[in-house]
Amino acid sequence: EDPTLERHFKGHRDTVTSVDFNPNMKQLATGSMDSSLMIWNFKAHTRAYRFIGHKDAVMHVKFSPSGHLVASASRDKTVRLWIPSVKGESTVFKAHTGTVRCVDFANDGQSLLTASDDKTIKLWTVHRQKFQFTLNAHLNWVRRARFSPDGRLIVSGSDDKTVKLWDRSSKECIHTFYEHCGMVNDVAFHPNGTCIAAAGTDNTVKIWDIRINKLLQHYQVHSNAINGLSFHPSGNCLITASSDTTLKILDLLEGRLFYTLHGHQGPATAVAFSPTGEYFASGGADEQVMVWKTNFDTADYSELASIQNKRPSSQQHKMNFRPESQVDTKRAPKDLSDRPPQVTDKSSKIDTLAANQGAREDDTAAYDVPATNGAETSPLEPRDIPPQLSRTLEHIVGQLDVLTQTVSILEQRLTMTEDKLRECLDNQQKITLQIKPND
């Protein structure tokens, strides 16, 4: 069955930059160039919340794995952590010296990463937003960065036309992929963690196997820049959003274009599958947010898998990326590196779906929820001391760190001065000894 447009939300006043589902499937978060974050409730007749606090465009939004927090990244150089309820409580911290393009939570919910126009990626604790470290190797704006499913790796894409893979424990860039010919707008890990996908202004999607750093698939199906991508949780397909106004679904098992979806009246700027894969959402420059029902469910992929299993073993091994003893429900993309790069449509099943398919349109009235700076965001760790005392202690610890560093610098300078003084005295003694014989 083909995807269908289920809901159609209106409320933003400028381009929608980001969409993300709450893991509880009751809410959708969206960010926009209108400087607001909106939380759309799927329950019928429930108003949306517009969270106002950022002083400039909201570039990216992301729910925490528990769904109790939603993070937003902004052009005002800050990140906010919101509680997605009518109160709109949030904490704010200055994360970078340039536009913050991206936020992502690790799957354990304890760590947050941010990527910025200051060319860096930074990691923070979610509890109290304590800075951990910086990843610094890109030569231009970092558009997107994401944690691997196990949290041990990070992938990033930049305007320097590279995709970088980082080891979180060593804080080193372990590989750089140079295949893109344009700026990289989005990157993502395959659900099984063995592959990464990237897309950008060269209109292509590329998928690599990160265990052997090999390009597996290359799709050139869009006629304009690709702004966003998302893997289906099964790992069997990938969806893209492009400035050519379309969304496209790629069948990774067969290496082909599966569907082309028309709905946005302008560039499609963001797209994301729901955690179950049953739905996906898209946003566009037309200020619209659309929620689609996937419909092509696991039965379709079981069918494809059975076809794969009937193939000769020489072809099968390309699909089986894990030891046979492991049951792998998330297949890795097929290795198409020996084929020509251009992937053409081989399926009569490609369908064009218009937005006026009788989907329910929600021109939803929204509560304007101003940010309450300093309001307590639910921590993910137990807190035994009062918040005010906690903040005071944090401040004292920070000041002590500064004092320690200052003392260390002074000690170094004092040592250097002593060395110079000793050198001067030695030189003076030598000169005196040279002068005396002449007398």
Side-chain angles (χ1 to χ4, degrees):
E1 201 179 335
D2 300 336
T4 51
L5 184 60
E6 293 287 301
R7 302 284 291 270
H8 185 201
F9 294 121
K10 286 182 180 178
H12 279 299
R13 295 152 188 167
D14 206 336
T15 298
V16 178
T17 55
S18 181
V19 294
D20 193 46
F21 286 89
N22 190 323
N24 68 16
M25 281 307 297
K26 293 178 180 177
Q27 295 175 318
L28 179 77
T30 58
S32 168
M33 298 298 282
D34 66 9
S35 307
S36 75
L37 164 103
M38 292 193 74
I39 303 289
W40 309 89
N41 296 292
F42 291 133
K43 189 177 177 183
H45 312 299
T46 307
R47 279 186 156 187
Y49 310 137
R50 180 183 284 111
F51 290 165
I52 300 162
H54 283 296
K55 295 177 175 64
D56 209 331
V58 175
M59 308 307 294
H60 199 224
V61 295
K62 187 74 178 177
F63 272 103
S64 65
S66 67
H68 296 146
L69 294 171
V70 61
S72 57
S74 172
R75 201 156 60 187
D76 66 11
K77 306 175 188 177
T78 70
V79 169
R80 282 182 181 266
L81 293 176
W82 308 80
I83 296 174
S85 66
V86 69
K87 288 183 181 177
E89 294 173 337
S90 74
T91 56
V92 60
F93 62 102
K94 189 178 182 206
H96 290 270
T97 57
T99 296
V100 188
R101 294 271 169 189
C102 165
V103 282
D104 193 38
F105 287 93
N107 277 343
D108 63 6
Q110 301 298 313
S111 299
L112 182 79
L113 68 73
T114 56
S116 168
D117 286 4
D118 65 12
K119 308 176 191 175
T120 69
I121 300 148
K122 293 185 179 182
L123 269 80
W124 315 78
T125 61
V126 172
H127 182 62
R128 296 183 189 149
Q129 301 87 57
K130 186 178 177 184
F131 171 72
Q132 290 183 307
F133 57 86
T134 299
L135 301 175
N136 192 354
H138 280 294
L139 304 176
N140 209 329
W141 297 356
V142 185
R143 295 268 174 180
R144 190 74 84 237
R146 296 185 196 266
F147 284 108
S148 61
D150 63 9
R152 290 188 296 177
L153 300 173
I154 291 166
V155 65
S156 60
S158 166
D159 280 11
D160 64 12
K161 304 180 185 178
T162 68
V163 173
K164 289 185 183 290
L165 197 62
W166 309 80
D167 183 282
R168 186 175 166 187
S169 57
S170 69
K171 306 176 184 62
E172 296 291 328
C173 175
I174 54 177
H175 194 77
T176 301
F177 299 93
Y178 295 96
E179 283 87 344
H180 275 288
C181 301
M183 297 180 293
V184 180
N185 286 333
D186 204 356
V187 290
F189 273 95
H190 187 274
N192 72 10
T194 63
C195 298
I196 56 170
T201 58
D202 63 2
N203 311 351
T204 69
V205 177
K206 291 175 171 32
I207 298 174
W208 294 270
D209 184 334
I210 59 173
R211 292 162 302 176
I212 54 175
N213 298 327
K214 181 183 179 184
L215 182 64
L216 292 184
Q217 295 186 355
H218 168 107
Y219 295 89
Q220 198 154 2
V221 291
H222 283 289
S223 60
N224 209 329
I226 300 169
N227 301 310
L229 56 80
S230 178
F231 278 105
H232 188 275
S234 69
N236 295 327
C237 68
L238 178 129
I239 190 165
T240 56
S242 169
S243 293
D244 66 11
T245 77
T246 69
L247 309 176
K248 289 184 188 281
I249 298 170
L250 305 172
D251 178 352
L252 303 180
L253 296 183
E254 290 295 300
R256 62 175 182 169
L257 179 60
F258 205 19
Y259 289 102
T260 294
L261 308 176
H262 293 268
H264 289 285
Q265 306 299 309
T269 49
V271 70
F273 272 111
S274 67
T276 60
E278 190 181 353
Y279 296 91
F280 58 92
S282 61
D286 57 3
E287 306 170 10
Q288 307 298 305
V289 177
M290 298 180 184
V291 179
W292 311 72
K293 199 165 193 300
T294 306
N295 291 329
F296 54 90
D297 55 18
T298 49
D300 295 323
Y301 285 109
S302 302
E303 218 174 287
L304 286 170
S306 66
I307 293 167
Q308 288 291 332
N309 291 333
K310 287 174 188 172
R311 291 185 174 180
S313 56
S314 62
Q315 292 180 18
Q316 275 186 39
H317 81 275
K318 291 182 180 179
M319 294 300 302
N320 186 14
F321 278 166
R322 288 212 179 169
E324 289 179 12
S325 58
Q326 295 183 23
V327 178
D328 186 7
T329 56
K330 294 173 180 173
R331 288 169 167 265
K334 190 175 183 179
D335 186 348
L336 301 179
S337 56
D338 296 333
R339 293 192 192 177
Q342 178 77 30
V343 177
T344 54
D345 167 28
K346 294 182 279 185
S347 168
S348 59
K349 202 175 178 183
I350 294 174
D351 214 285
T352 296
L353 302 175
N356 55 5
Q357 254 185 344
R360 185 166 55 197
E361 182 177 307
D362 293 315
D363 194 353
T364 314
Y367 289 115
D368 278 6
V369 185
T372 51
N373 285 334
E376 291 172 40
T377 301
S378 299
L380 298 180
E381 301 167 15
R383 185 164 56 191
D384 300 319
I385 51 176
Q388 188 62 45
L389 179 58
S390 168
R391 283 194 286 272
T392 305
L393 288 171
E394 288 278 351
H395 180 70
I396 291 168
V397 169
Q399 292 300 310
L400 284 171
D401 283 345
V402 171
L403 281 171
T404 305
Q405 289 170 18
T406 306
V407 170
S408 175
I409 291 165
L410 286 171
E411 282 176 346
Q412 288 172 19
R413 287 182 178 175
L414 191 59
T415 305
M416 286 170 64
T417 306
E418 285 173 346
D419 290 345
K420 287 282 183 189
L421 188 60
R422 192 176 293 111
E423 197 180 320
C424 286
L425 288 169
D426 288 345
N427 287 338
Q428 190 178 7
Q429 197 170 8
K430 284 175 187 175
I431 292 166
T432 306
L433 288 170
Q434 284 173 359
I435 292 171
K436 272 187 179 178
N438 295 332
D439 293 344

